[in-house]
Amino acid sequence: MGKTAEAIAEGVSIASAAARLTIRNRIVVGTIANDEPFDVAGFGPFARETLLSLAEEQEAAAELAKRQRKKAWGKFSDPDGTHDYRDRDTRNLRKRHRQYVGVAKELRRMADDPHVVRTLVEQSRDAAWGDVEANLQRRLRVEGMRPELDPDYERMRSARMQSIRLVDLPRLAAHRRRPGDDHAGEEATDAEPAVADESPARRVSGIDLSELDS
């Protein structure tokens, strides 16, 4: 189990990371998705509530460990499962109880410290903006990518051409032959002179498939 102080510090660190994630998500939804102005003070109450909620979870875990320890006291038979504790587990359950209580106490102290709450909101804001920036950069790279700059262009080109031949063109042909389309016959009639010299097996909806082979 390690030293109690070290375990408490680790628990607080994990809980703080969970709080930042929760606050970051609220910032993303509020300021970006709903186009609301960002205000550090405005997110303070939510950050404080998040810390208190995490503290309550730790307190509930501490109470559970306490009940498990009392239930395990004086039992020396083999356990029936992972959480079926026996007398030999009471020492670790006591340590676990102290650790949960210590983490909850520290989280409540953090929730009552305005400086800590503000710092937590600012860190969450930076994480939210970092996510947005990364998403924008990925989108710009995709939309602004030219074939000669795409390292996977040549490798994926044959797959894309095959997808066009096997999926897109048959779907387009079926759409043009759809019953009740008054213009389908006219388009087919207009296209006949242009394809008179082409092999019918090499054209779909007036498109020369040989052009996709290169």
Side-chain angles (χ1 to χ4, degrees), residues 156-188:
M156 298 300 297
R157 185 178 186 279
S158 60
R160 290 193 295 269
M161 294 300 99
Q162 185 177 14
S163 176
I164 292 174
R165 286 193 294 267
L166 300 180
V167 179
D168 298 328
L169 293 180
R171 184 179 299 171
L172 176 61
H175 177 74
R176 290 168 66 103
R177 294 193 303 266
R178 187 174 53 193
D181 189 347
D182 296 337
H183 301 288
E186 296 176 5
E187 293 175 355

Short mmCIF file of all heavy atoms in Angstrom, two decimals, residues 156-188:
data_model
loop_
_atom_site.label_atom_id
_atom_site.label_comp_id
_atom_site.label_asym_id
_atom_site.label_seq_id
_atom_site.Cartn_x
_atom_site.Cartn_y
_atom_site.Cartn_z
N MET A 156 -2.36 5.20 -51.49
CA MET A 156 -3.80 5.08 -51.37
C MET A 156 -4.54 5.35 -52.67
O MET A 156 -5.74 5.14 -52.75
CB MET A 156 -4.30 6.06 -50.30
CG MET A 156 -3.76 5.81 -48.90
SD MET A 156 -4.19 4.15 -48.29
CE MET A 156 -5.98 4.28 -48.24
N ARG A 157 -3.81 5.81 -53.72
CA ARG A 157 -4.49 6.19 -54.95
C ARG A 157 -5.21 5.00 -55.59
O ARG A 157 -6.36 5.12 -56.03
CB ARG A 157 -3.49 6.78 -55.95
CG ARG A 157 -4.14 7.31 -57.23
CD ARG A 157 -3.11 7.92 -58.15
NE ARG A 157 -3.75 8.53 -59.29
CZ ARG A 157 -4.18 7.87 -60.37
NH1 ARG A 157 -4.02 6.54 -60.43
NH2 ARG A 157 -4.78 8.50 -61.36
N SER A 158 -4.57 3.84 -55.66
CA SER A 158 -5.19 2.68 -56.28
C SER A 158 -6.45 2.27 -55.53
O SER A 158 -7.45 1.88 -56.14
CB SER A 158 -4.20 1.52 -56.34
OG SER A 158 -3.78 1.16 -55.03
N ALA A 159 -6.43 2.36 -54.21
CA ALA A 159 -7.61 2.01 -53.43
C ALA A 159 -8.75 2.99 -53.70
O ALA A 159 -9.91 2.59 -53.80
CB ALA A 159 -7.26 2.00 -51.94
N ARG A 160 -8.41 4.27 -53.83
CA ARG A 160 -9.45 5.25 -54.12
C ARG A 160 -10.04 5.03 -55.50
O ARG A 160 -11.26 5.14 -55.70
CB ARG A 160 -8.89 6.67 -53.99
CG ARG A 160 -8.56 7.09 -52.58
CD ARG A 160 -8.32 8.58 -52.50
NE ARG A 160 -7.14 8.98 -53.26
CZ ARG A 160 -5.92 9.06 -52.74
NH1 ARG A 160 -5.74 8.75 -51.47
NH2 ARG A 160 -4.90 9.44 -53.47
N MET A 161 -9.20 4.72 -56.48
CA MET A 161 -9.70 4.49 -57.84
C MET A 161 -10.58 3.24 -57.89
O MET A 161 -11.61 3.23 -58.56
CB MET A 161 -8.51 4.32 -58.80
CG MET A 161 -7.66 5.57 -58.99
SD MET A 161 -8.57 6.99 -59.64
CE MET A 161 -8.89 7.92 -58.13
N GLN A 162 -10.19 2.22 -57.15
CA GLN A 162 -11.00 1.00 -57.11
C GLN A 162 -12.35 1.28 -56.45
O GLN A 162 -13.38 0.76 -56.88
CB GLN A 162 -10.26 -0.10 -56.35
CG GLN A 162 -11.00 -1.44 -56.36
CD GLN A 162 -10.21 -2.52 -55.65
OE1 GLN A 162 -9.26 -2.23 -54.93
NE2 GLN A 162 -10.59 -3.75 -55.85
N SER A 163 -12.35 2.11 -55.42
CA SER A 163 -13.60 2.47 -54.78
C SER A 163 -14.52 3.22 -55.73
O SER A 163 -15.73 3.01 -55.74
CB SER A 163 -13.32 3.33 -53.54
OG SER A 163 -14.52 3.76 -52.94
N ILE A 164 -13.94 4.08 -56.55
CA ILE A 164 -14.76 4.80 -57.53
C ILE A 164 -15.36 3.84 -58.53
O ILE A 164 -16.55 3.92 -58.88
CB ILE A 164 -13.91 5.87 -58.24
CG1 ILE A 164 -13.53 6.99 -57.25
CG2 ILE A 164 -14.66 6.45 -59.43
CD1 ILE A 164 -12.58 8.01 -57.82
N ARG A 165 -14.55 2.89 -59.02
CA ARG A 165 -15.04 1.95 -60.03
C ARG A 165 -16.11 1.02 -59.48
O ARG A 165 -17.12 0.74 -60.14
CB ARG A 165 -13.88 1.11 -60.58
CG ARG A 165 -12.96 1.86 -61.52
CD ARG A 165 -12.04 0.90 -62.27
NE ARG A 165 -11.11 0.25 -61.36
CZ ARG A 165 -9.89 0.71 -61.09
NH1 ARG A 165 -9.47 1.83 -61.68
NH2 ARG A 165 -9.10 0.08 -60.26
N LEU A 166 -15.89 0.52 -58.24
CA LEU A 166 -16.78 -0.52 -57.71
C LEU A 166 -17.97 0.03 -56.94
O LEU A 166 -18.98 -0.68 -56.80
CB LEU A 166 -15.98 -1.45 -56.79
CG LEU A 166 -14.81 -2.20 -57.44
CD1 LEU A 166 -14.12 -3.09 -56.42
CD2 LEU A 166 -15.29 -3.03 -58.62
N VAL A 167 -17.87 1.25 -56.44
CA VAL A 167 -18.94 1.79 -55.59
C VAL A 167 -19.59 3.02 -56.19
O VAL A 167 -20.79 3.04 -56.46
CB VAL A 167 -18.40 2.11 -54.17
CG1 VAL A 167 -19.52 2.69 -53.30
CG2 VAL A 167 -17.81 0.87 -53.53
N ASP A 168 -18.79 4.04 -56.44
CA ASP A 168 -19.36 5.32 -56.85
C ASP A 168 -19.99 5.27 -58.24
O ASP A 168 -21.11 5.76 -58.43
CB ASP A 168 -18.28 6.41 -56.79
CG ASP A 168 -17.76 6.61 -55.37
OD1 ASP A 168 -18.55 6.43 -54.43
OD2 ASP A 168 -16.59 6.95 -55.22
N LEU A 169 -19.29 4.70 -59.22
CA LEU A 169 -19.83 4.69 -60.58
C LEU A 169 -21.06 3.80 -60.71
O LEU A 169 -22.04 4.21 -61.35
CB LEU A 169 -18.73 4.26 -61.56
CG LEU A 169 -17.58 5.25 -61.71
CD1 LEU A 169 -16.55 4.73 -62.69
CD2 LEU A 169 -18.09 6.61 -62.14
N PRO A 170 -21.10 2.59 -60.14
CA PRO A 170 -22.34 1.82 -60.19
C PRO A 170 -23.50 2.53 -59.51
O PRO A 170 -24.64 2.47 -59.98
CB PRO A 170 -21.98 0.51 -59.47
CG PRO A 170 -20.51 0.37 -59.67
CD PRO A 170 -19.98 1.77 -59.61
N ARG A 171 -23.22 3.22 -58.43
CA ARG A 171 -24.28 3.95 -57.75
C ARG A 171 -24.78 5.10 -58.63
O ARG A 171 -25.98 5.36 -58.71
CB ARG A 171 -23.75 4.50 -56.42
CG ARG A 171 -24.81 5.20 -55.58
CD ARG A 171 -24.20 5.69 -54.28
NE ARG A 171 -23.69 4.58 -53.49
CZ ARG A 171 -22.97 4.75 -52.39
NH1 ARG A 171 -22.64 5.97 -51.99
NH2 ARG A 171 -22.55 3.70 -51.71
N LEU A 172 -23.86 5.78 -59.29
CA LEU A 172 -24.25 6.85 -60.20
C LEU A 172 -25.07 6.30 -61.37
O LEU A 172 -26.08 6.89 -61.78
CB LEU A 172 -23.00 7.57 -60.72
CG LEU A 172 -23.24 8.67 -61.77
CD1 LEU A 172 -24.10 9.77 -61.19
CD2 LEU A 172 -21.90 9.23 -62.25
N ALA A 173 -24.65 5.14 -61.92
CA ALA A 173 -25.38 4.54 -63.04
C ALA A 173 -26.79 4.15 -62.62
O ALA A 173 -27.76 4.36 -63.35
CB ALA A 173 -24.62 3.33 -63.55
N ALA A 174 -26.94 3.58 -61.42
CA ALA A 174 -28.25 3.20 -60.94
C ALA A 174 -29.13 4.42 -60.73
O ALA A 174 -30.33 4.40 -61.00
CB ALA A 174 -28.12 2.41 -59.62
N HIS A 175 -28.53 5.49 -60.29
CA HIS A 175 -29.29 6.72 -60.09
C HIS A 175 -29.79 7.29 -61.41
O HIS A 175 -30.93 7.73 -61.52
CB HIS A 175 -28.42 7.76 -59.37
CG HIS A 175 -29.10 9.09 -59.20
ND1 HIS A 175 -30.09 9.28 -58.26
CD2 HIS A 175 -28.92 10.26 -59.84
CE1 HIS A 175 -30.51 10.54 -58.34
NE2 HIS A 175 -29.81 11.15 -59.28
N ARG A 176 -28.96 7.23 -62.44
CA ARG A 176 -29.35 7.77 -63.75
C ARG A 176 -30.42 6.90 -64.42
O ARG A 176 -31.18 7.38 -65.25
CB ARG A 176 -28.12 7.86 -64.66
CG ARG A 176 -27.13 8.95 -64.24
CD ARG A 176 -25.84 8.78 -65.00
NE ARG A 176 -26.03 9.02 -66.42
CZ ARG A 176 -25.66 10.15 -67.04
NH1 ARG A 176 -25.08 11.10 -66.34
NH2 ARG A 176 -25.85 10.30 -68.32
N ARG A 177 -30.46 5.60 -64.07
CA ARG A 177 -31.46 4.70 -64.65
C ARG A 177 -32.71 4.60 -63.79
O ARG A 177 -33.57 3.76 -64.05
CB ARG A 177 -30.86 3.30 -64.81
CG ARG A 177 -29.74 3.20 -65.82
CD ARG A 177 -29.44 1.74 -66.15
NE ARG A 177 -29.10 0.98 -64.96
CZ ARG A 177 -27.84 0.78 -64.57
NH1 ARG A 177 -26.83 1.32 -65.24
NH2 ARG A 177 -27.59 0.06 -63.48
N ARG A 178 -32.82 5.43 -62.77
CA ARG A 178 -33.93 5.33 -61.84
C ARG A 178 -35.26 5.52 -62.54
O ARG A 178 -35.44 6.47 -63.30
CB ARG A 178 -33.76 6.40 -60.75
CG ARG A 178 -34.76 6.28 -59.61
CD ARG A 178 -34.41 7.28 -58.53
NE ARG A 178 -34.27 8.61 -59.09
CZ ARG A 178 -33.74 9.64 -58.46
NH1 ARG A 178 -33.23 9.45 -57.26
NH2 ARG A 178 -33.66 10.83 -59.02
N PRO A 179 -36.24 4.65 -62.34
CA PRO A 179 -37.56 4.77 -62.99
C PRO A 179 -38.24 6.06 -62.60
O PRO A 179 -38.15 6.53 -61.46
CB PRO A 179 -38.33 3.55 -62.44
CG PRO A 179 -37.28 2.60 -61.99
CD PRO A 179 -36.14 3.43 -61.52
N GLY A 180 -38.94 6.66 -63.58
CA GLY A 180 -39.68 7.88 -63.33
C GLY A 180 -38.86 9.13 -63.51
O GLY A 180 -39.38 10.24 -63.34
N ASP A 181 -37.58 8.98 -63.80
CA ASP A 181 -36.74 10.15 -64.04
C ASP A 181 -36.93 10.58 -65.49
O ASP A 181 -36.48 9.92 -66.41
CB ASP A 181 -35.28 9.82 -63.76
CG ASP A 181 -34.39 11.05 -63.78
OD1 ASP A 181 -34.87 12.10 -64.25
OD2 ASP A 181 -33.24 10.95 -63.34
N ASP A 182 -37.62 11.70 -65.72
CA ASP A 182 -37.95 12.14 -67.07
C ASP A 182 -36.72 12.53 -67.86
O ASP A 182 -36.74 12.53 -69.09
CB ASP A 182 -38.91 13.35 -67.00
CG ASP A 182 -40.24 12.95 -66.36
OD1 ASP A 182 -40.55 11.75 -66.40
OD2 ASP A 182 -40.91 13.84 -65.81
N HIS A 183 -35.65 12.86 -67.15
CA HIS A 183 -34.47 13.34 -67.85
C HIS A 183 -33.48 12.21 -68.12
O HIS A 183 -32.48 12.42 -68.80
CB HIS A 183 -33.76 14.44 -67.04
CG HIS A 183 -34.67 15.61 -66.78
ND1 HIS A 183 -35.04 16.51 -67.74
CD2 HIS A 183 -35.31 15.99 -65.63
CE1 HIS A 183 -35.84 17.43 -67.21
NE2 HIS A 183 -36.02 17.13 -65.93
N ALA A 184 -33.73 11.03 -67.54
CA ALA A 184 -32.76 9.95 -67.69
C ALA A 184 -32.62 9.55 -69.14
O ALA A 184 -31.52 9.36 -69.66
CB ALA A 184 -33.17 8.74 -66.86
N GLY A 185 -33.78 9.43 -69.83
CA GLY A 185 -33.70 9.04 -71.24
C GLY A 185 -33.04 10.09 -72.08
O GLY A 185 -32.29 9.79 -73.01
N GLU A 186 -33.33 11.37 -71.78
CA GLU A 186 -32.72 12.44 -72.55
C GLU A 186 -31.22 12.46 -72.37
O GLU A 186 -30.47 12.63 -73.34
CB GLU A 186 -33.31 13.78 -72.10
CG GLU A 186 -34.79 13.90 -72.38
CD GLU A 186 -35.37 15.20 -71.82
OE1 GLU A 186 -34.56 16.00 -71.34
OE2 GLU A 186 -36.58 15.39 -71.90
N GLU A 187 -30.76 12.24 -71.09
CA GLU A 187 -29.32 12.25 -70.86
C GLU A 187 -28.66 11.10 -71.58
O GLU A 187 -27.57 11.23 -72.15
CB GLU A 187 -29.04 12.16 -69.37
CG GLU A 187 -29.50 13.42 -68.63
CD GLU A 187 -29.33 13.27 -67.14
OE1 GLU A 187 -28.94 12.16 -66.73
OE2 GLU A 187 -29.56 14.24 -66.41
N ALA A 188 -29.33 9.93 -71.55
CA ALA A 188 -28.76 8.78 -72.23
C ALA A 188 -28.70 9.02 -73.73
O ALA A 188 -27.75 8.67 -74.41
CB ALA A 188 -29.58 7.53 -71.93
#
